[in-house]
Amino acid sequence: MAQGSDNNDTSYTKSPSPGNKQGSSDDVRKVMRREKNRIAAQKSRMRQTQKADSLHLESESLEKENAALRKEVKRLTEEAKYLSTVLSNHEPLCTGLSGASTELLYGAHHGAFHQHISVPHYPL
């Protein structure tokens, strides 16, 4: 064993006079302080590990949520493309209408779909 590697070895901290009580109490304080510091360091490492674990779980959860949102964006983009095609195919049927007749059909929202157009419902 290397010299000074034993945490309980306090021989290098003793005062020059072997019978000095103050040197002995200083040694006890150093041992107690080292033990307290060792425990504090251990708790700190444990908190750090728990924080890393928590961040890892949160990261996995956010990655799953991100994947689900990307899937929904893709579905909605496809639906918007389909509805745009339906509108493009329907617009020629409405071009012959005058402005007054269009307002009767659509109300104040000119350009909206007629109610009789069937649009498939996409499951969520």
Side-chain angles (χ1 to χ4, degrees), residues 80-94 106 111-114 117:
K81 196 182 299 183
Y82 170 77
L83 292 173
S84 178
T85 303
V86 169
L87 178 62
S88 295
N89 291 337
H90 181 71
E91 281 177 337
L93 302 175
C94 296
Y106 294 116
F113 285 109
H114 294 161
I117 295 176

PDB file of all heavy atoms in Angstrom, residues 80-94 106 111-114 117:
ATOM      1  N   ALA A  80     -54.315  18.287 -46.842  1.00  0.00           N
ATOM      2  CA  ALA A  80     -54.401  19.621 -47.451  1.00  0.00           C
ATOM      3  C   ALA A  80     -54.210  19.527 -48.960  1.00  0.00           C
ATOM      4  O   ALA A  80     -54.905  20.203 -49.738  1.00  0.00           O
ATOM      5  CB  ALA A  80     -53.364  20.556 -46.846  1.00  0.00           C
ATOM      6  N   LYS A  81     -53.282  18.662 -49.393  1.00  0.00           N
ATOM      7  CA  LYS A  81     -53.048  18.468 -50.823  1.00  0.00           C
ATOM      8  C   LYS A  81     -54.302  17.890 -51.488  1.00  0.00           C
ATOM      9  O   LYS A  81     -54.721  18.330 -52.555  1.00  0.00           O
ATOM     10  CB  LYS A  81     -51.858  17.526 -51.016  1.00  0.00           C
ATOM     11  CG  LYS A  81     -51.277  17.545 -52.409  1.00  0.00           C
ATOM     12  CD  LYS A  81     -50.125  16.560 -52.569  1.00  0.00           C
ATOM     13  CE  LYS A  81     -48.981  16.892 -51.639  1.00  0.00           C
ATOM     14  NZ  LYS A  81     -47.827  16.001 -51.838  1.00  0.00           N
ATOM     15  N   TYR A  82     -54.920  16.921 -50.821  1.00  0.00           N
ATOM     16  CA  TYR A  82     -56.142  16.304 -51.355  1.00  0.00           C
ATOM     17  C   TYR A  82     -57.264  17.342 -51.443  1.00  0.00           C
ATOM     18  O   TYR A  82     -57.952  17.443 -52.469  1.00  0.00           O
ATOM     19  CB  TYR A  82     -56.578  15.128 -50.478  1.00  0.00           C
ATOM     20  CG  TYR A  82     -57.948  14.614 -50.826  1.00  0.00           C
ATOM     21  CD1 TYR A  82     -58.138  13.805 -51.946  1.00  0.00           C
ATOM     22  CD2 TYR A  82     -59.055  14.960 -50.065  1.00  0.00           C
ATOM     23  CE1 TYR A  82     -59.399  13.351 -52.293  1.00  0.00           C
ATOM     24  CE2 TYR A  82     -60.317  14.509 -50.403  1.00  0.00           C
ATOM     25  CZ  TYR A  82     -60.488  13.716 -51.518  1.00  0.00           C
ATOM     26  OH  TYR A  82     -61.733  13.272 -51.861  1.00  0.00           O
ATOM     27  N   LEU A  83     -57.443  18.114 -50.380  1.00  0.00           N
ATOM     28  CA  LEU A  83     -58.511  19.117 -50.374  1.00  0.00           C
ATOM     29  C   LEU A  83     -58.259  20.202 -51.416  1.00  0.00           C
ATOM     30  O   LEU A  83     -59.196  20.716 -52.032  1.00  0.00           O
ATOM     31  CB  LEU A  83     -58.649  19.727 -48.975  1.00  0.00           C
ATOM     32  CG  LEU A  83     -59.185  18.773 -47.904  1.00  0.00           C
ATOM     33  CD1 LEU A  83     -59.125  19.424 -46.538  1.00  0.00           C
ATOM     34  CD2 LEU A  83     -60.590  18.307 -48.229  1.00  0.00           C
ATOM     35  N   SER A  84     -57.008  20.537 -51.645  1.00  0.00           N
ATOM     36  CA  SER A  84     -56.673  21.506 -52.678  1.00  0.00           C
ATOM     37  C   SER A  84     -57.049  20.964 -54.053  1.00  0.00           C
ATOM     38  O   SER A  84     -57.577  21.694 -54.905  1.00  0.00           O
ATOM     39  CB  SER A  84     -55.177  21.816 -52.617  1.00  0.00           C
ATOM     40  OG  SER A  84     -54.817  22.712 -53.620  1.00  0.00           O
ATOM     41  N   THR A  85     -56.820  19.671 -54.263  1.00  0.00           N
ATOM     42  CA  THR A  85     -57.205  19.033 -55.527  1.00  0.00           C
ATOM     43  C   THR A  85     -58.719  19.035 -55.687  1.00  0.00           C
ATOM     44  O   THR A  85     -59.235  19.336 -56.772  1.00  0.00           O
ATOM     45  CB  THR A  85     -56.667  17.583 -55.577  1.00  0.00           C
ATOM     46  OG1 THR A  85     -55.259  17.610 -55.415  1.00  0.00           O
ATOM     47  CG2 THR A  85     -57.013  16.908 -56.882  1.00  0.00           C
ATOM     48  N   VAL A  86     -59.436  18.724 -54.624  1.00  0.00           N
ATOM     49  CA  VAL A  86     -60.903  18.734 -54.664  1.00  0.00           C
ATOM     50  C   VAL A  86     -61.395  20.133 -55.010  1.00  0.00           C
ATOM     51  O   VAL A  86     -62.289  20.300 -55.855  1.00  0.00           O
ATOM     52  CB  VAL A  86     -61.497  18.256 -53.318  1.00  0.00           C
ATOM     53  CG1 VAL A  86     -62.994  18.522 -53.257  1.00  0.00           C
ATOM     54  CG2 VAL A  86     -61.209  16.782 -53.111  1.00  0.00           C
ATOM     55  N   LEU A  87     -60.808  21.146 -54.405  1.00  0.00           N
ATOM     56  CA  LEU A  87     -61.201  22.526 -54.681  1.00  0.00           C
ATOM     57  C   LEU A  87     -60.906  22.888 -56.131  1.00  0.00           C
ATOM     58  O   LEU A  87     -61.744  23.487 -56.808  1.00  0.00           O
ATOM     59  CB  LEU A  87     -60.475  23.488 -53.733  1.00  0.00           C
ATOM     60  CG  LEU A  87     -60.751  24.969 -53.933  1.00  0.00           C
ATOM     61  CD1 LEU A  87     -62.229  25.277 -53.702  1.00  0.00           C
ATOM     62  CD2 LEU A  87     -59.884  25.794 -53.006  1.00  0.00           C
ATOM     63  N   SER A  88     -59.728  22.506 -56.604  1.00  0.00           N
ATOM     64  CA  SER A  88     -59.363  22.805 -57.996  1.00  0.00           C
ATOM     65  C   SER A  88     -60.333  22.146 -58.975  1.00  0.00           C
ATOM     66  O   SER A  88     -60.683  22.740 -59.995  1.00  0.00           O
ATOM     67  CB  SER A  88     -57.950  22.316 -58.300  1.00  0.00           C
ATOM     68  OG  SER A  88     -57.020  23.022 -57.530  1.00  0.00           O
ATOM     69  N   ASN A  89     -60.748  20.930 -58.647  1.00  0.00           N
ATOM     70  CA  ASN A  89     -61.701  20.238 -59.527  1.00  0.00           C
ATOM     71  C   ASN A  89     -63.100  20.835 -59.428  1.00  0.00           C
ATOM     72  O   ASN A  89     -63.883  20.746 -60.365  1.00  0.00           O
ATOM     73  CB  ASN A  89     -61.764  18.748 -59.171  1.00  0.00           C
ATOM     74  CG  ASN A  89     -60.492  18.021 -59.533  1.00  0.00           C
ATOM     75  OD1 ASN A  89     -59.736  18.465 -60.387  1.00  0.00           O
ATOM     76  ND2 ASN A  89     -60.235  16.910 -58.865  1.00  0.00           N
ATOM     77  N   HIS A  90     -63.418  21.449 -58.327  1.00  0.00           N
ATOM     78  CA  HIS A  90     -64.755  21.998 -58.114  1.00  0.00           C
ATOM     79  C   HIS A  90     -64.885  23.424 -58.641  1.00  0.00           C
ATOM     80  O   HIS A  90     -65.985  23.815 -59.075  1.00  0.00           O
ATOM     81  CB  HIS A  90     -65.091  21.966 -56.623  1.00  0.00           C
ATOM     82  CG  HIS A  90     -66.451  22.487 -56.310  1.00  0.00           C
ATOM     83  ND1 HIS A  90     -67.606  21.807 -56.633  1.00  0.00           N
ATOM     84  CD2 HIS A  90     -66.849  23.639 -55.722  1.00  0.00           C
ATOM     85  CE1 HIS A  90     -68.649  22.509 -56.250  1.00  0.00           C
ATOM     86  NE2 HIS A  90     -68.223  23.622 -55.689  1.00  0.00           N
ATOM     87  N   GLU A  91     -63.814  24.176 -58.627  1.00  0.00           N
ATOM     88  CA  GLU A  91     -63.883  25.590 -59.035  1.00  0.00           C
ATOM     89  C   GLU A  91     -64.456  25.808 -60.432  1.00  0.00           C
ATOM     90  O   GLU A  91     -65.255  26.730 -60.620  1.00  0.00           O
ATOM     91  CB  GLU A  91     -62.503  26.248 -58.912  1.00  0.00           C
ATOM     92  CG  GLU A  91     -62.170  26.633 -57.497  1.00  0.00           C
ATOM     93  CD  GLU A  91     -60.774  27.220 -57.368  1.00  0.00           C
ATOM     94  OE1 GLU A  91     -59.913  26.961 -58.221  1.00  0.00           O
ATOM     95  OE2 GLU A  91     -60.573  27.950 -56.389  1.00  0.00           O
ATOM     96  N   PRO A  92     -64.116  25.004 -61.430  1.00  0.00           N
ATOM     97  CA  PRO A  92     -64.696  25.238 -62.767  1.00  0.00           C
ATOM     98  C   PRO A  92     -66.224  25.149 -62.778  1.00  0.00           C
ATOM     99  O   PRO A  92     -66.872  25.793 -63.602  1.00  0.00           O
ATOM    100  CB  PRO A  92     -64.093  24.130 -63.640  1.00  0.00           C
ATOM    101  CG  PRO A  92     -62.844  23.727 -62.936  1.00  0.00           C
ATOM    102  CD  PRO A  92     -63.110  23.950 -61.484  1.00  0.00           C
ATOM    103  N   LEU A  93     -66.780  24.401 -61.848  1.00  0.00           N
ATOM    104  CA  LEU A  93     -68.238  24.280 -61.785  1.00  0.00           C
ATOM    105  C   LEU A  93     -68.878  25.560 -61.267  1.00  0.00           C
ATOM    106  O   LEU A  93     -70.044  25.816 -61.518  1.00  0.00           O
ATOM    107  CB  LEU A  93     -68.638  23.107 -60.880  1.00  0.00           C
ATOM    108  CG  LEU A  93     -68.088  21.734 -61.274  1.00  0.00           C
ATOM    109  CD1 LEU A  93     -68.462  20.698 -60.221  1.00  0.00           C
ATOM    110  CD2 LEU A  93     -68.622  21.334 -62.646  1.00  0.00           C
ATOM    111  N   CYS A  94     -68.128  26.355 -60.541  1.00  0.00           N
ATOM    112  CA  CYS A  94     -68.668  27.567 -59.930  1.00  0.00           C
ATOM    113  C   CYS A  94     -68.346  28.827 -60.711  1.00  0.00           C
ATOM    114  O   CYS A  94     -68.858  29.894 -60.390  1.00  0.00           O
ATOM    115  CB  CYS A  94     -68.109  27.734 -58.523  1.00  0.00           C
ATOM    116  SG  CYS A  94     -68.610  26.420 -57.409  1.00  0.00           S
ATOM    117  N   TYR A 106     -72.850  30.766 -51.143  1.00  0.00           N
ATOM    118  CA  TYR A 106     -71.793  30.724 -50.135  1.00  0.00           C
ATOM    119  C   TYR A 106     -72.036  31.607 -48.925  1.00  0.00           C
ATOM    120  O   TYR A 106     -71.330  31.495 -47.938  1.00  0.00           O
ATOM    121  CB  TYR A 106     -70.449  31.143 -50.751  1.00  0.00           C
ATOM    122  CG  TYR A 106     -69.947  30.179 -51.795  1.00  0.00           C
ATOM    123  CD1 TYR A 106     -69.805  30.579 -53.115  1.00  0.00           C
ATOM    124  CD2 TYR A 106     -69.596  28.883 -51.453  1.00  0.00           C
ATOM    125  CE1 TYR A 106     -69.327  29.713 -54.067  1.00  0.00           C
ATOM    126  CE2 TYR A 106     -69.118  28.006 -52.406  1.00  0.00           C
ATOM    127  CZ  TYR A 106     -68.984  28.421 -53.706  1.00  0.00           C
ATOM    128  OH  TYR A 106     -68.510  27.567 -54.645  1.00  0.00           O
ATOM    129  N   GLY A 111     -66.027  31.631 -51.820  1.00  0.00           N
ATOM    130  CA  GLY A 111     -64.887  30.745 -52.038  1.00  0.00           C
ATOM    131  C   GLY A 111     -64.893  29.531 -51.126  1.00  0.00           C
ATOM    132  O   GLY A 111     -64.071  28.660 -51.260  1.00  0.00           O
ATOM    133  N   ALA A 112     -65.843  29.451 -50.211  1.00  0.00           N
ATOM    134  CA  ALA A 112     -65.902  28.280 -49.324  1.00  0.00           C
ATOM    135  C   ALA A 112     -66.537  27.112 -50.073  1.00  0.00           C
ATOM    136  O   ALA A 112     -67.185  27.293 -51.097  1.00  0.00           O
ATOM    137  CB  ALA A 112     -66.720  28.616 -48.079  1.00  0.00           C
ATOM    138  N   PHE A 113     -66.365  25.918 -49.567  1.00  0.00           N
ATOM    139  CA  PHE A 113     -66.948  24.734 -50.192  1.00  0.00           C
ATOM    140  C   PHE A 113     -68.462  24.734 -50.047  1.00  0.00           C
ATOM    141  O   PHE A 113     -69.006  25.210 -49.065  1.00  0.00           O
ATOM    142  CB  PHE A 113     -66.437  23.452 -49.507  1.00  0.00           C
ATOM    143  CG  PHE A 113     -65.038  23.090 -49.871  1.00  0.00           C
ATOM    144  CD1 PHE A 113     -64.018  23.217 -48.953  1.00  0.00           C
ATOM    145  CD2 PHE A 113     -64.745  22.613 -51.129  1.00  0.00           C
ATOM    146  CE1 PHE A 113     -62.728  22.872 -49.276  1.00  0.00           C
ATOM    147  CE2 PHE A 113     -63.459  22.274 -51.458  1.00  0.00           C
ATOM    148  CZ  PHE A 113     -62.444  22.408 -50.528  1.00  0.00           C
ATOM    149  N   HIS A 114     -69.128  24.135 -51.042  1.00  0.00           N
ATOM    150  CA  HIS A 114     -70.552  23.867 -50.887  1.00  0.00           C
ATOM    151  C   HIS A 114     -70.703  22.732 -49.900  1.00  0.00           C
ATOM    152  O   HIS A 114     -69.831  21.882 -49.776  1.00  0.00           O
ATOM    153  CB  HIS A 114     -71.180  23.444 -52.220  1.00  0.00           C
ATOM    154  CG  HIS A 114     -71.183  24.519 -53.248  1.00  0.00           C
ATOM    155  ND1 HIS A 114     -71.341  24.253 -54.572  1.00  0.00           N
ATOM    156  CD2 HIS A 114     -71.040  25.858 -53.161  1.00  0.00           C
ATOM    157  CE1 HIS A 114     -71.315  25.372 -55.256  1.00  0.00           C
ATOM    158  NE2 HIS A 114     -71.124  26.366 -54.419  1.00  0.00           N
ATOM    159  N   ILE A 117     -70.440  18.736 -51.111  1.00  0.00           N
ATOM    160  CA  ILE A 117     -69.205  18.050 -51.497  1.00  0.00           C
ATOM    161  C   ILE A 117     -68.830  17.088 -50.390  1.00  0.00           C
ATOM    162  O   ILE A 117     -68.771  17.454 -49.223  1.00  0.00           O
ATOM    163  CB  ILE A 117     -68.055  19.049 -51.691  1.00  0.00           C
ATOM    164  CG1 ILE A 117     -68.381  19.965 -52.872  1.00  0.00           C
ATOM    165  CG2 ILE A 117     -66.737  18.324 -51.933  1.00  0.00           C
ATOM    166  CD1 ILE A 117     -67.352  21.049 -53.085  1.00  0.00           C
TER     167      ILE A 117
END
